[in-house]
Structure formats: C-alpha cells, structure tokens
C-alpha cells in the first residue's frame, strides 16, 4: 500500500470509528440507509485522497526550500513584498520624479491591457461556476392552438372527418437545482476562484516586471548619457594631447612617432565618442518604446541616478514562495488543477437533480392571472451515463495529467526563482567589492592628477603628464560608472 493510499485509509478509518458506534448501525437500520452510508464513505475516501495528494505536493515543494540563502552574508532579514501599487519596494530610485512616465507605462502598455482583460474573463468564469451551485429559475409564457381530427366516427349528414380545435395559454415559473452531493460543483467553483487568483497574481507580476524593465532602461539611458559625456571629454583630452605633442614636435622636443601615436589615439577616441552617442540614442529609443511612444530618441530623462544604495533587504527563502507574485500564481494554478481533478472524480458519480414548476394554464389568456387555474409539478432524478466509452475516465486522466504538468512547472518556477535570487545576491556581493575598488581607484586617480598639476605649476612636470593623468581619471570615472550601473541593475533584480 503506497503512502498516499495509507493516509486515505487512516482518514476513512477515523470517520468509521466516529460513526460506527456499536449498535448504531445494525439490524434495525433500513438497508437503504446502510447503502447511503457506504456511498458517503466512498465520497469521503475520494476527498481524503485529494487532500493527501495536495499535501504531498506541498511537502515536495518545501523540500526544495533551503533554510537560508547560500550567497547571503548580510545581517538584514526584512522582506518587502510587492504592494498593490507595485512601487513601494523601489526605495533607492526617485519614483516620485518618475511617476509621470510610470503612469504612461501602466496606461499605454498593450500587454498589460491584455492581462487585465484576462483578469476580467477569469472573474466572469468564477461567477459562472459559482452560479451553478444555486437553483436556476426560468419564467415563460406561451400559447398554442391545435386542431385534432377524428377518423372513423359515423356522423349522419357529415361526409368529411370530424375535427375540433384547442387553444391553450400558460404562465410558468420553473426551477432546476443539482444537489452537489459529491462536491463536483463546489470543486468547479473553487478551481475557478483559484484560477482567478492566479491570473490576478500574473497581472501583479507583469506590472512588477514592466516597472523593472522600465527602471533598467532608465538606468541604461542615464548611464549612456553620462558615458557619452565622459567619452567626449576623453576625445577632447586626446585632442589637447595631439596639440601639445605637435608643439613639442615643432620645437624638436618630440619625434614623429609620438605625434603619429597621439593622432591614432585621438581617432580611436573620436570613434568611441560616435559610438557612445549612438548608444545614447538607442537607449532613449528603448525607453520611448516601453512607454508606448514613438522611438525618435527625443524623450526627456527624468530624475537622476541615486548616489548611494541602501543595504540589501532579504528574508528567509520560504518567504519567497509567499511574496513573489509569479510563484503565488504558479501555486494557485497548481491548487486549481487539484480541484479540477476532484471535479472529474465527482463526475464519475450520479448527478442528483430536483425540478419544479408552478404557474397557470387555461384556454383563455385573461385567466393566466387567476390562481383558480394554477398548476404545479415537482420531481427529481438521478442520472449517470452507463455506456460512455470511457469518456468520464478519460476526462479524469486528462485532469490528473494536467495536474502533474502544472506541478512540474511550479517546481521549475520555484527552482528558477531561487536561482535568480542566489545569483543576484552573489552578484551584489561581488559588485559591492568591485565598486569599493573602483572608488579607491577614482580617489587615487584624483590624487595623481592633483600631483601632476602641482608639479606642472612648479615647473618640474610637463603638460603631457597632466593630460595623461586627466585621461586616467576619466577612465576611472567610467569604470566606477559602469560598476555602479551594474549594481543598480542587479538591485532591480533583487527587488
């Protein structure tokens, strides 16, 4: 006996002990009650198997969750979930200044509009599934006129068949209600509600992803702007170097190779400047595209890059399963798939329905409001297909296979999420160290430039030494800017 079936047996055994008290069910109980009791046990066994199946899946998912992140060496243990506005966790970025473009992002994005339509559709589906659990009432009014012929009756003086006409009018209120004894409709409703919650979580994650993409493009656009400015300064620096070297060549203080070398470096610097200008325009066009505007590279860059970053906030790995919307959506889809398996199992049992109608009927239209002509009916039925060529069982197999697929996708989503967080935490550590080194190099370059300028003023240094140290400082600024950009992009992934 496998583990799941054993848990189901224990569940049914506890129910049996509770109700099968000595003398409770015995010779004095009618046979039909015994049959209903054991049918109830069968339904309970199905429910127990469903509960243990879902519990086993939860255990499997939790087994993938470590006690702490291996790449984390931070002291903070605060987790910030994504609020309904989707903006709260982005404390390091000037969100208030970016709000005009964020409103454009959420208002003009076609993918977000399509996702919202899926939420509306899922809400309607949940309402439909919920309505199936209640009685359905139908009001009707009708009328008919019939003629009937009597063949073979001898009527003296009448050569043709005898005929008569009937006129009938009716006003009816009918109802039909399926008694959800096996939980088929209940599971269908719960599956629809869980599907709605998964679509809502998908919508929330899409908003978060769009904002992440926008901030990444915003960071890259600011980086491209500052990088283009620094590269332009480097080109001017190399131009000054060519001018100084040319003067020294004309004075006989430098050879032709030094001048040619300076000109080659200048051409390379101008090439880099042209490429940086193009990259800047490309970054602006990407930012315009995600905001739904025409990509002409004329968008205004709002705000400024943050100068400092707050310490990384992270929590326990188990918190990730509850706070990250894409994982919440995946889990809701898994639970919905489980409910559909239960729904398919319940479909194997007979459906019990009650029908009733009440109204009036008469051969005169004016009598329909007279209660003396009232009619009514009440009935019930139990129905189940006998020969369906395996349709119901095949439907159950489809539901089970779909549940397995959704479960596998859920585990894959969990694994991917933890991989992304571990990589981002590890990158944060590496980039923090790299940024510290870049800061130190920048400070050292500033000191070298200051020293070169002082020597030049005192007449013990050359203009070329000043230019070379200015160039070195620009390179250090670019290096720091690039590492800081990577830290910002990585911080966006961690949020």
């Amino acid at each position: 006996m496998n583990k799941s079936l054993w848990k189901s047996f224990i569940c049914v055994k506890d129910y049996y002990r509770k109700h099968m008290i000595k003398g409770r069910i015995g010779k004095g109980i009618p046979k039909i009650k015994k049959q209903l009791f054991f049918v109830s046990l069968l339904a309970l066994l199905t429910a127990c198997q469903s509960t243990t199946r879902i519990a086993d899946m939860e255990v499997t998912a939790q087994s993938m969750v470590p006690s702490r992140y291996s790449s984390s060496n931070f002291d903070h243990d605060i987790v910030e979930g994504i609020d309904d506005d989707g903006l709260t966790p982005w404390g390091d970025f000037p969100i208030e200044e970016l709000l005009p473009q964020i409103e454009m992002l959420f208002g003009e994005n076609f993918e977000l509009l399509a996702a919202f339509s899926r939420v509306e559709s899922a809400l309607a589906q949940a309402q439909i599934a919920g309505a199936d659990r209640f009685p359905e009432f139908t009001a009707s009014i009708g009328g008919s006129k019939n003629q009937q012929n009597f063949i073979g009756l001898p009527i003296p003086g009448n050569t043709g068949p005898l005929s008569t006409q009937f006129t009938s009018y009716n006003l009816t209120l009918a109802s039909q209600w399926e008694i959800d004894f096996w939980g088929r409709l209940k599971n269908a409703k719960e599956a629809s509600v869980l599907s709605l919650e998964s679509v809502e979580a998908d919508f929330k994650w899409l908003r978060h992803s769009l904002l992440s993409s926008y901030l990444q493009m915003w960071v890259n656009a600011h980086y491209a702007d500052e990088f283009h400015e620094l590269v332009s300064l480097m080109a001017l620096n190399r131009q000054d170097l060519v001018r100084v070297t040319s003067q020294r060549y004309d004075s006989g203080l430098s050879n032709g190779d030094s001048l040619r070398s300076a000109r080659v470096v200048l051409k390379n610097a101008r090439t880099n400047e042209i490429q940086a200008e193009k990259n800047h325009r490309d970054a602006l066009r990407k930012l315009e595209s995600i905001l739904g505007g025409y990509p002409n590279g004329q968008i205004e860059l709002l705000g400024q890059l943050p100068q400092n970053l707050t310490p990384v906030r992270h929590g326990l790995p188990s918190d990730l399963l509850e706070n990250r919307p894409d994982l919440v959506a995946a889990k809701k889809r898994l639970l919905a798939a489980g409910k559909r398996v239960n729904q398919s199992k319940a479909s194997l049992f007979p459906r019990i329905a009650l029908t009733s109608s009440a109204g009036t009927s008469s051969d005169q239209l004016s009598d329909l409001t007279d209660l003396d002509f009232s009619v009514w009916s009440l009935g019930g039925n139990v129905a189940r297909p006998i020969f369906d060529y395996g349709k119901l069982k095949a439907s159950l197999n489809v539901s089970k296979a779909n549940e397995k697929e959704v479960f596998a996708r859920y585990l894959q989503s969990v694994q991917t999420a933890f991989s992304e967080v571990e990589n981002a935490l590890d990158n944060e550590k590496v980039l923090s160290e790299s940024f510290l080194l870049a800061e130190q190099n920048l400070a050292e370059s500033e000191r070298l430039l200051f020293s070169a300028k002082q020597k030049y003023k005192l007449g013990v240094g050359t203009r070329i030494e000043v230019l070379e140290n200015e160039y070195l400082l620009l390179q250090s600024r670019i290096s720091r800017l690039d590492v800081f950009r990577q830290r910002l992009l990585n911080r966006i992934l961690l949020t």
Side-chain angles (χ1 to χ4, degrees):
M1 182 180 296
N2 59 43
K3 183 178 180 181
S4 177
L5 188 58
W6 173 251
K7 290 181 180 180
S8 301
F9 173 74
I10 296 298
C11 182
V12 174
K13 185 177 70 172
D14 292 341
Y15 179 86
Y16 184 84
R17 285 178 176 176
K18 181 178 179 181
H19 292 85
M20 292 289 287
I21 303 174
K22 184 176 181 181
R24 182 77 175 272
I25 295 181
K27 296 182 179 179
I29 303 299
K31 184 177 181 181
I32 183 63
K33 291 187 177 181
K34 293 183 180 179
Q35 293 174 342
L36 288 176
F37 178 80
F38 286 109
V39 168
S40 301
L41 280 182
L42 181 60
L44 179 64
L45 176 62
T46 302
C48 291
Q49 288 180 332
S50 302
T51 303
T52 54
R53 186 185 71 254
I54 295 175
D56 289 342
M57 290 183 176
E58 287 284 348
V59 170
T60 303
Q62 290 295 333
S63 66
M64 300 176 61
V65 181
S67 59
R68 64 185 301 273
Y69 292 113
S70 62
S71 300
S72 173
N73 60 349
F74 305 102
D75 296 330
H76 304 274
D77 58 353
I78 302 174
V79 160
E80 290 192 21
I82 299 175
D83 290 351
D84 291 335
D85 60 4
L87 304 178
T88 303
W90 311 95
D92 290 325
F93 297 87
I95 295 298
E96 293 294 332
E97 300 178 45
L98 301 178
L99 275 180
Q101 291 185 352
I102 292 175
E103 291 175 355
M104 292 176 57
L105 174 71
F106 289 157
E108 303 294 335
N109 188 273
F110 297 116
E111 188 177 0
L112 196 64
L113 179 61
F116 184 73
S117 298
R118 288 194 291 271
V119 173
E120 292 181 319
S121 176
L123 176 60
Q125 292 292 337
Q127 291 174 338
I128 293 173
D132 289 340
R133 300 187 64 192
F134 299 97
E136 179 181 339
F137 294 91
T138 304
S140 65
I141 183 171
S144 63
K145 188 171 185 179
N146 303 314
Q147 175 175 305
Q148 185 176 1
N149 295 326
F150 299 93
I151 307 299
L153 294 178
I155 305 297
N158 191 353
T159 58
L162 180 64
S163 64
T164 183
Q165 293 183 348
F166 299 94
T167 301
S168 176
Y169 299 97
N170 61 79
L171 178 64
T172 306
L173 177 65
S175 67
Q176 182 173 353
W177 182 28
E178 180 179 344
I179 300 177
D180 194 25
F181 187 78
W182 314 108
R184 184 181 67 86
L185 299 179
K186 175 176 177 292
N187 282 286
K189 176 189 175 182
E190 292 176 352
S192 297
V193 171
L194 288 167
S195 295
L196 170 62
E197 293 174 352
S198 72
V199 174
E200 289 175 337
D202 283 332
F203 178 77
K204 196 173 182 180
W205 180 246
L206 178 58
R207 287 189 57 186
H208 179 81
S209 300
L210 282 174
L211 184 55
S212 298
S213 298
Y214 163 74
L215 289 176
Q216 289 175 5
M217 294 179 186
W218 175 80
V219 168
N220 285 329
H222 269 287
Y223 166 78
D225 184 32
E226 294 186 26
F227 181 79
H228 176 241
E229 180 181 350
L230 292 174
V231 170
S232 298
L233 292 175
M234 294 176 75
L236 291 175
N237 176 276
R238 295 297 88 180
Q239 185 176 337
D240 287 344
L241 179 63
V242 169
R243 179 178 55 80
V244 172
T245 305
S246 178
Q247 291 175 354
R248 289 173 60 84
Y249 177 75
D250 293 339
S251 302
L253 300 176
S254 176
N255 56 38
D257 290 341
S258 299
L259 179 60
R260 283 190 292 270
S261 176
R263 287 173 177 171
V264 169
V265 174
L266 174 61
K267 290 180 180 179
N268 290 335
R270 286 178 175 172
T271 300
N272 293 335
E273 182 182 13
I274 294 173
Q275 186 63 41
E277 184 179 3
K278 177 185 179 302
N279 292 339
H280 183 215
R281 292 195 302 269
D282 290 344
L284 292 178
R285 281 193 287 266
K286 289 180 180 179
L287 189 60
E288 288 168 331
S289 295
I290 196 173
L291 293 176
Y294 185 79
N296 55 14
Q298 302 298 320
I299 190 172
E300 178 186 4
L301 270 180
L302 303 180
Q304 295 295 327
L305 292 179
Q307 298 303 312
N308 298 296
L309 295 179
T310 58
V312 173
R313 297 181 175 184
H314 68 92
L316 297 175
S318 57
D319 296 328
L320 188 68
L321 300 180
E322 304 298 330
N323 292 315
R324 187 161 148 160
D326 60 331
L327 296 185
V328 173
K331 185 175 181 179
K332 295 294 184 181
R333 280 191 288 270
L334 174 60
L335 295 176
K339 295 296 182 181
R340 291 191 178 94
V341 171
N342 298 342
Q343 178 187 354
S344 297
K345 288 182 178 179
S347 298
L348 298 175
F349 299 102
R351 296 188 184 184
I352 304 172
L354 296 177
T355 57
S356 64
S357 64
T360 56
S361 180
S362 173
D363 58 356
Q364 297 296 323
L365 185 62
S366 59
D367 294 335
L368 293 183
T369 58
D370 190 344
L371 295 181
D372 291 337
F373 295 90
S374 62
V375 293
W376 60 271
S377 68
L378 180 65
N381 65 80
V382 178
R384 184 196 184 281
I386 299 177
F387 299 107
D388 64 350
Y389 299 95
K391 178 181 178 181
L392 293 177
K393 290 186 177 179
S395 177
L396 175 59
N397 292 335
V398 169
S399 301
K400 288 182 176 180
N402 181 65
E403 183 186 36
K404 292 178 181 178
E405 178 187 356
V406 175
F407 181 52
R409 293 185 182 277
Y410 173 60
L411 295 181
Q412 180 63 51
S413 299
V414 171
Q415 188 179 50
T416 300
F418 282 124
S419 177
E420 291 173 352
V421 173
E422 289 284 2
N423 288 337
L425 287 174
D426 187 54
N427 289 339
E428 179 68 22
K429 181 170 56 178
V430 172
L431 291 172
S432 297
E433 295 173 356
S434 299
F435 184 72
L436 180 61
L437 290 176
E439 289 269 277
Q440 294 172 353
N441 287 338
L442 180 61
E444 186 66 26
S445 298
E446 291 174 343
R447 286 192 292 269
L448 288 172
L449 177 59
F450 178 78
S451 176
K453 287 181 176 180
Q454 290 297 109
K455 291 180 180 180
Y456 181 66
K457 287 181 181 180
L458 296 175
V460 295
T462 65
R463 177 62 179 165
I464 291 181
E465 290 177 343
V466 174
L467 291 174
E468 290 296 345
N469 280 282
E470 284 180 351
Y471 192 79
L472 180 62
L473 176 61
L474 290 172
Q475 287 180 322
S476 298
R477 290 178 62 185
I478 287 178
S479 177
R480 178 192 180 279
L481 177 64
D482 183 61
V483 175
F484 190 62
R485 175 185 69 93
Q486 294 182 55
R487 286 191 70 195
L488 288 174
L489 295 178
N490 189 69
R491 185 60 60 88
I492 292 173
L493 296 178
L494 273 174
T495 305

